[in-house]
């Protein structure tokens, strides 16, 4: 009975949770089939409705449409990413093109699109309120961008392309994981561990055990790779791990992403032209806050030049340090992180390694909750009543200022062999209230190295920032007051979506938060005031490097997707090399994401021609936080209230530029971005 299938049935678990612990791979194929059938029935019913189209009989059924499929898919993709066994991955390869096909059944349905067009034509006479008008406008745009206005031949080709792209995206992501899993550098001899902390070796031993090995291993997870690059004294091993990290997705054999990229770029180009755009970038920017690729490129270029000058000075200082140590080599990307630490120590900057004992995972989680309480009046209580997908995961109930339950938050913080790398937020269920309030269910996933009990996990400053970042996204989902699910939470333009998350990071580094939560793991003593002042003042530390590695990837992403010669080849790595050469990429820094493992761009469509979005949003977050700083109270109640109303709880109910203006009282100014990155 499909009603008893834990992957399919409505989420009646405690606090509206899905059956995380019961749903297994074998439940999903029948659950997807049933959900597809249910959705098709809903599409047919709407298309066959003989009544004159109205907002209520057209837009509301669309908001309700496909609930079963959303449920099944949300749980499935959460499990693929966090549990990720072979059986789930096989289903993913099968289901990705199916989802695209089923999506097309709605968007390419002429009768439903005709209803929307009829409403659109008389939109001013419908008596809609602002949110309803926005829903109509966004719905129509979604249909048009998915091919609804094409002729029959165009629609058929559009559908084929969408399906093929979905398959390619799924395979791309799986290939990267396969390359990550196949690599482990065993630190067999004591000499292999030179420079590494006990904590690192301990975590590396835990990773080894999980793979059935004895000697500690370095893996290609960022939480293993980056500290190894910083602390290992073995230049040969740093180079070896760097090469493996850099080569992910570009090895000959079964997991080679190069042909996948070529086909993806060609299909994206063809789709954009079908829809009347000169390029995929033009198509994507049409639905963004930046509006044009040129605007994004100008913003990236404005930080690139000063960052290049900054890293050149830093590189010269590092070269001097390594020469003074007796080193006789040129600074390379596998040296940068290590000598950057030494340079900062010499310059009496913050010693980040010495900070780690002050950032315990439970304290940083509490700090993130505390800030949410101060700014938005919500509170979080841990609950053991939700059976989760893994014993490492934790759940909290969010309550609003009246004490009423308002959402479920789940955190899954540790790296595991089969878990997808990186950090992300996922709204398993959006908030809505158009037919009674449904609370959101939101997940944060991270990949911190675990050694021993989860409470003993200590974070680097960077990892603590990541936790705040993802929690900022989580609040964007949890605080949503949008009536309609398709306008809820993070359903905003992608160059605005990083604004709430990046803004949230600022509070971690305020003295108010550090004094209370940065407590030594053994003594409980707070961090000294001198270092607190330094952290708050030195947001710009190492920002030259961070700017270069990020902007390089952002430039490449735009170059991949802009208008090109009619007979140009879609060779992503050649386009990448040419673009980096044209920009005079410093040779001692590597791009943050080389194309064959650039998942933002190729494992799905989300951030293609959109990687610049982080920097675009950063213009907003740096300018926005300066407003708080200027009041002298980083929790200024009046400003926090506007931030909640127009940003964190507003979802996509307004145009993003207007939402920002309502919060800030004016348009964003770019000076704050350069000041934040120390590039002014
Ligand atoms: Zn983000």
């Amino acid at each position: 009975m499909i009603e008893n299938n834990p992957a399919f049935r409505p989420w009646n678990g405690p606090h509206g949770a899905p059956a995380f612990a019961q749903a297994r791979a074998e439940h999903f194929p029948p659950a997807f089939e049933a959900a597809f059938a249910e959705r098709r029935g809903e599409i047919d019913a709407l298309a066959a409705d003989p009544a004159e189209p109205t907002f209520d009989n057209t837009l509301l059924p669309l908001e309700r449409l496909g609930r079963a499929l959303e449920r099944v898919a949300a749980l499935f993709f959460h499990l693929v990413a966090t549990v990720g066994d072979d059986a789930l991955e096989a289903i993913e390869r099968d289901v990705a093109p199916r989802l695209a096909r089923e999506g097309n059944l709605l968007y390419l349905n002429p009768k439903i699109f005709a209803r929307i067009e009829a409403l659109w034509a008389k939109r001013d006479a419908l008596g809609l309120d602002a949110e309803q008008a926005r829903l109509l406008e966004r719905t129509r745009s979604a249909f048009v961008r998915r091919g609804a206005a094409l002729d029959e031949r165009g629609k058929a080709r559009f559908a084929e392309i969408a399906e093929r792209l979905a398959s390619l995206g799924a395979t791309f992501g799986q290939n990267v994981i396969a390359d990550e899993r196949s690599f482990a550098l065993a630190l067999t001899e004591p000499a292999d561990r030179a420079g590494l902390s006990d904590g690192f070796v301990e975590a590396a031993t835990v990773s080894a055990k999980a793979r059935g090995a004895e000697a500690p291993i370095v893996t290609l997870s960022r939480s293993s790779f980056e500290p190894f690059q910083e602390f290992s004294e073995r230049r040969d091993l740093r180079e070896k791990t760097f090469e493996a990290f850099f080569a992910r997705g570009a090895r000959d054999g079964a997991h080679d992403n190069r042909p996948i990229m070529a086909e993806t770029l060609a299909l994206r180009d063809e789709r954009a032209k079908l829809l009347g755009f000169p390029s995929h970038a033009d198509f994507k920017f049409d639905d963004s806050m930046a509006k044009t690729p040129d605007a994004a490129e100008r913003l990236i270029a404005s930080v690139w030049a000063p960052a290049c000058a900054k890293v050149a000075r830093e590189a010269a200082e590092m070269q001097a340090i390594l020469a003074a140590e007796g080193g006789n080599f040129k600074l390379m990307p596998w040296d940068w992180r290590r000598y950057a630490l030494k340079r900062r120590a010499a310059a009496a900057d913050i010693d980040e390694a010495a900070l780690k004992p002050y950032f315990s995972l439970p304290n940083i989680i509490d700090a993130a909750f505390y800030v949410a309480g101060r700014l938005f009046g919500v509170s979080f209580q841990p609950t053991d009543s939700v059976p989760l997908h893994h014993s490492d995961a934790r759940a909290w109930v969010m309550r609003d200022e009246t004490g009423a339950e308002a959402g479920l938050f789940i955190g899954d913080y540790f790296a595991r062999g089969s878990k997808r790398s990186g950090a992300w937020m996922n709204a398993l269920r959006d908030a809505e209230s158009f037919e009674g309030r449904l609370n959101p269910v939101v997940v944060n996933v991270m990949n911190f190295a675990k050694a021993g009990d989860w409470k003993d996990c200590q974070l680097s400053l960077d990892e603590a920032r990541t936790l705040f970042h993802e929690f900022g996204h989580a609040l964007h989902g949890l605080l949503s007051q949008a009536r309609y699910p398709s306008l809820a939470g993070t359903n905003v333009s992608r160059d605005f979506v990083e604004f709430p998350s990046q803004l949230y990071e600022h509070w971690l580094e305020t003295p108010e938060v550090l004094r209370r939560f940065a407590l030594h793991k053994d003594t409980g003593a707070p961090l000294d005031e001198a270092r607190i002042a330094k952290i708050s003042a030195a947001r710009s530390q190492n920002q030259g490097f961070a700017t270069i590695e990020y902007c390089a990837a952002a430039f490449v992403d735009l170059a991949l997707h802009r208008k090109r010669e009619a007979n140009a080849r879609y060779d992503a790595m050649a386009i990448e090399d040419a673009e980096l050469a044209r920009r005079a990429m410093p040779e001692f820094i590597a791009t943050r994401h080389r194309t064959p493992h650039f998942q933002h761009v190729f494992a799905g469509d989300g951030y293609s021609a959109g990687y610049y979005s982080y920097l675009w949003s950063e213009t907003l977050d740096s300018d926005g936080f300066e407003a708080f700083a200027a009041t002298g109270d980083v929790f200024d109640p009046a400003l926090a209230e506007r931030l909640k109303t127009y940003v964190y709880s507003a979802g996509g109910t307004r145009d993003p530029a207007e939402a920002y203006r309502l919060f800030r009282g004016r348009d964003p100014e770019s000076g704050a971005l350069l000041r934040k990155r120390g590039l002014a």
Side-chain angles (χ1 to χ4, degrees):
M1 283 296 280
I2 195 66
E3 287 75 20
N4 297 328
N5 181 323
F8 182 84
R9 65 174 183 243
W11 294 359
N12 296 327
H15 312 292
F20 285 116
Q22 290 150 301
R24 278 183 298 278
E26 68 263 27
H27 296 122
F28 282 98
F32 272 113
E33 290 309 328
F36 288 145
E38 189 175 308
R39 184 171 178 276
R40 271 181 242 131
E42 291 161 352
I43 291 171
D44 292 345
L46 177 56
D49 186 349
E52 213 31 40
T54 64
F55 181 89
D56 281 1
N57 74 15
T58 304
L59 274 298
L60 298 188
L62 284 170
E63 288 302 290
R64 274 181 227 119
L65 196 136
R67 281 200 193 272
L69 182 56
E70 279 165 18
R71 220 162 57 213
V72 175
L75 180 55
F76 175 73
F77 286 106
H78 171 68
L79 293 177
V80 169
T82 57
V83 178
D85 56 34
D86 290 344
L88 287 167
E89 286 188 4
I91 297 169
E92 188 197 11
R93 283 191 296 274
D94 180 50
V95 105
R98 282 291 302 280
L99 279 171
R101 200 180 315 155
E102 297 289 337
N104 289 334
L105 290 181
L106 172 66
Y107 292 111
L108 301 180
N109 185 302
K111 289 188 176 141
I112 294 179
F113 185 56
R115 296 182 77 87
I116 295 169
E117 286 296 78
L119 292 172
W120 181 247
K122 55 179 180 186
R123 58 191 176 279
D124 294 331
L126 295 173
L128 303 180
D129 67 25
E131 194 170 340
Q132 291 170 326
R134 176 90 177 153
L135 182 66
L136 175 57
E137 186 261 307
R138 296 306 298 158
T139 303
R140 179 175 183 272
S141 162
F143 271 78
V144 171
R145 292 176 61 78
R146 287 175 173 86
L150 297 174
D151 63 18
E152 284 314 306
R153 258 186 68 193
K155 278 185 188 170
R157 182 61 189 147
F158 186 93
E160 268 171 30
I161 293 174
E163 257 179 67
R164 182 65 187 151
L165 282 174
S167 290
L168 292 168
T171 309
F172 185 95
Q174 293 185 358
N175 285 348
V176 175
I177 297 181
D179 273 1
E180 287 177 359
R181 279 181 203 159
S182 70
F183 178 88
L185 176 77
L187 305 171
T188 319
E189 304 300 324
D192 299 340
R193 299 166 209 163
L196 303 176
S197 69
D198 292 347
F200 182 93
V201 175
E202 220 174 289
T205 308
V206 172
S207 313
K209 293 225 166 80
R211 295 203 198 177
E214 277 305 312
I217 55 168
V218 186
T219 71
L220 298 183
S221 155
R222 274 193 195 271
S223 63
S224 173
F225 169 77
E226 288 188 354
F228 186 77
Q229 292 287 314
E230 285 181 316
F231 295 109
S232 171
E233 288 171 12
R234 287 286 298 274
R235 188 166 194 251
D236 58 332
L237 300 184
R238 289 201 310 270
E239 182 175 357
K240 200 168 167 184
T241 45
F242 178 88
E243 293 295 352
F245 192 76
F246 208 58
R248 287 172 298 153
R251 282 184 242 271
D252 295 331
H255 302 298
D256 189 351
N257 272 336
R258 287 169 291 190
I260 290 177
M261 294 191 289
E263 192 181 347
T264 300
L265 293 176
L267 288 174
R268 283 178 180 166
D269 211 17
E270 186 186 345
R271 180 178 59 186
K273 291 190 172 105
L274 258 179
L275 294 172
F277 293 95
S279 73
H280 180 69
D282 292 288
F283 165 59
K284 294 297 272 192
F285 274 86
D286 191 54
D287 190 37
S288 72
M289 188 175 172
K291 301 286 187 236
T292 66
D294 284 341
E297 208 167 295
R298 272 197 302 277
L299 177 66
I300 304 167
S302 75
V303 295
W304 177 259
C308 281
K310 189 171 185 184
V311 295
R313 285 194 303 275
E314 291 176 0
E317 290 171 37
M318 290 183 214
Q319 193 69 50
I321 292 172
L322 74 85
E325 283 179 353
N328 183 26
F329 53 87
K330 219 167 118 214
L331 188 77
M332 294 302 283
W334 46 93
D335 303 314
W336 178 279
R337 284 189 163 84
R338 171 143 187 78
Y339 287 92
L341 273 189
K342 293 190 181 209
R343 189 193 69 80
R344 295 214 294 275
D349 275 351
I350 308 162
D351 175 1
E352 294 206 9
L355 289 179
K356 215 166 175 176
Y358 290 89
F359 290 105
S360 84
L361 175 62
N363 278 2
I364 298 304
I365 295 171
D366 283 347
F369 292 161
Y370 170 80
V371 171
R374 291 290 303 271
L375 290 173
F376 307 127
V378 291
S379 62
F380 290 82
Q381 278 111 36
T383 172
D384 291 330
S385 65
V386 183
L388 295 167
H389 57 283
H390 191 276
S391 57
D392 279 348
R394 295 280 177 281
W396 289 266
V397 171
M398 185 183 82
R399 295 184 185 281
D400 66 17
E401 50 274 83
T402 70
E405 186 170 335
L408 179 64
F409 172 66
I410 293 158
D412 178 358
Y413 294 103
F414 298 111
R416 293 187 288 273
S418 58
K419 189 170 158 181
R420 229 153 250 197
S421 57
W424 65 90
M425 167 274 198
N426 187 1
L428 297 181
R429 183 170 74 194
D430 286 317
E432 61 169 61
S433 59
F434 77 108
E435 298 176 307
R437 167 86 184 176
L438 257 186
N439 285 338
V441 179
V442 171
V443 186
N444 268 180
V445 182
M446 263 142 265
N447 272 286
F448 302 143
K450 186 182 176 192
D453 190 76
W454 80 287
K455 289 206 162 104
D456 299 328
C457 175
Q458 298 295 129
L459 304 180
S460 68
L461 181 56
D462 222 34
E463 288 171 328
R465 266 185 212 130
T466 299
L467 188 145
F468 264 63
H469 177 101
E470 297 307 334
F471 192 67
H473 282 307
L475 286 173
H476 200 189
L478 288 164
L479 295 174
S480 181
Q481 292 295 327
R483 235 176 298 160
Y484 307 106
S486 64
L487 297 180
T490 52
N491 293 313
V492 297
S493 93
R494 75 221 149 114
D495 51 7
F496 187 73
V497 79
E498 297 300 330
F499 169 45
S501 55
Q502 294 180 171
L503 182 65
Y504 211 73
E505 294 176 38
H506 289 263
W507 277 280
L508 169 67
E509 286 158 54
T510 59
E512 289 82 347
V513 170
L514 291 173
R515 274 183 205 127
R516 192 179 277 255
F517 294 98
L519 307 175
H520 194 279
K521 68 181 168 75
D522 299 326
T523 65
L527 201 56
D528 52 282
E529 285 297 319
R531 275 191 289 182
I532 286 179
K534 254 186 182 168
I535 293 175
S536 312
R539 187 80 216 251
S540 58
Q541 183 164 287
N542 210 27
Q543 283 300 301
F545 169 80
T547 303
I548 295 295
E549 67 158 7
Y550 163 82
C551 288
F555 274 138
V556 168
D557 169 39
L558 288 179
L560 289 170
H561 296 107
R562 295 199 74 162
K563 193 171 174 338
R564 65 190 69 249
E565 306 300 318
N567 56 356
R569 286 163 54 233
Y570 296 99
D571 181 340
M573 292 180 83
I575 296 168
E576 174 171 38
D577 290 343
E579 178 67 10
L580 294 180
R582 184 164 88 88
R583 302 283 178 185
M585 174 77 179
E587 59 189 339
F588 41 78
I589 294 178
T591 169
R592 186 163 177 85
H593 307 278
R594 187 134 171 86
T595 45
H597 48 258
F598 202 165
Q599 307 224 45
H600 291 80
V601 169
F602 288 109
D605 231 7
Y607 276 77
S608 62
Y611 193 62
Y612 77 95
S613 297
Y614 295 93
L615 195 68
W616 190 270
S617 290
E618 197 177 322
T619 308
L620 308 182
D621 78 66
S622 41
D623 186 61
F625 192 74
E626 283 195 353
F628 280 94
T631 66
D633 174 7
V634 294
F635 299 111
D636 181 73
L639 213 45
E641 183 64 39
R642 292 212 298 276
L643 183 63
K644 185 181 182 184
T645 306
Y646 300 118
V647 179
Y648 281 86
S649 67
T653 56
R654 282 174 205 279
D655 174 76
E658 180 198 332
Y660 188 85
R661 219 173 292 127
L662 286 165
F663 149 61
R664 186 65 165 94
R666 59 161 173 73
D667 285 327
E669 290 168 5
S670 61
L673 169 65
L674 292 172
R675 284 191 287 279
K676 175 182 162 190
R677 288 194 170 237
L679 303 172

